[in-house]
Structure formats: structure tokens, C-alpha cells
């Protein structure tokens, strides 16, 4: 399970449509559908009930959405924390002078 695929899953759940989510994510609809099928295969359960023009989450899909949001929040916070380690927020400046 990859973070990228979890982001795809969350976007489809928000949009309620694979086509709409694909447009938002700037990827093709067949690619997104394949990624979701692989996620369902990996987890061993259906995550969506697919209709003609929309999709709805199953019970398992609702559970995964909650977990995926938590996982992605933690991953984003971790990245932010490590990026902020490189930010210099304070320190000492010493200037030396000599008379010539």
C-alpha cells in the first residue's frame, strides 16, 4: 500500500466519482481505476459500490477512509517536521574588527 494510492482513494471518496477524481488528480481515468482495483485486491475486499455515474464507499471503504486520512496526516506532519529541522530560526552573530 503506497501513500500515493491512499491519496487517490481519498480523492475518489471525496469526489464520489472516479472520472472527477482523475481530473482533479491530473491522471487518466483508466490508471486511477486500475490503482483502486489493485488496492481492493491487496486488501481483499471491495471498497466501492460502483454505479453508472458515481461510486459509494462500502463499510470497509468507510473504515479505510478514516485510517487513510490518519496515515496521510501523520506522513505529512513527519515530512513537515523534518523539513523544519533545516530551517535556522536563531543563533549568534559575531563580528570582529581590527584597527589598521
Amino acid at each position: 500500500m503506497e501513500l500515493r494510492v491512499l491519496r487517490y482513494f481519498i480523492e475518489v471518496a471525496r469526489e464520489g466519482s472516479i472520472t472527477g477524481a482523475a481530473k482533479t488528480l491530473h491522471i487518466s481515468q483508466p490508471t486511477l481505476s486500475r490503482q483502486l482495483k489493485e488496492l481492493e485486491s491487496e486488501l481483499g475486499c471491495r471498497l466501492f459500490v460502483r454505479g453508472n455515474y458515481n461510486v459509494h464507499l462500502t463499510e470497509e471503504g468507510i473504515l479505510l477512509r478514516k485510517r487513510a486520512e490518519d496515515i496521510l496526516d501523520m506522513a505529512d506532519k513527519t515530512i513537515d517536521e523534518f523539513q523544519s529541522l533545516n530551517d535556522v530560526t536563531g543563533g549568534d552573530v559575531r563580528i570582529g574588527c581590527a584597527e589598521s
Side-chain angles (χ1 to χ4, degrees), residues 55 57 82 90:
V55 294
L57 291 174
F82 275 92

Side-chain angles (χ1 to χ4, degrees), residues 16-87:
S17 163
I18 294 175
T19 304
K23 287 179 184 177
T24 302
L25 294 166
H26 304 291
I27 61 173
S28 69
Q29 184 271 331
T31 300
L32 182 55
S33 292
R34 187 176 60 250
Q35 293 289 324
L36 294 175
K37 288 274 190 193
E38 288 174 8
L39 180 62
E40 288 178 327
S41 174
E42 183 179 346
L43 295 175
C45 62
R46 290 184 52 191
L47 301 172
F48 296 102
V49 175
R50 290 163 173 82
N52 290 337
Y53 300 104
N54 56 16
V55 294
H56 301 286
L57 291 174
T58 62
E59 299 262 338
E60 293 85 359
I62 293 169
L63 175 63
L64 180 61
R65 182 177 183 172
K66 291 175 187 175
R67 297 289 186 256
E69 287 172 345
D70 292 341
I71 290 167
L72 293 174
D73 285 343
M74 273 205 254
D76 291 340
K77 285 179 185 177
T78 302
I79 290 169
D80 290 344
E81 287 174 0
F82 275 92
Q83 287 176 344
S84 70
L85 291 175
N86 295 329
D87 296 341

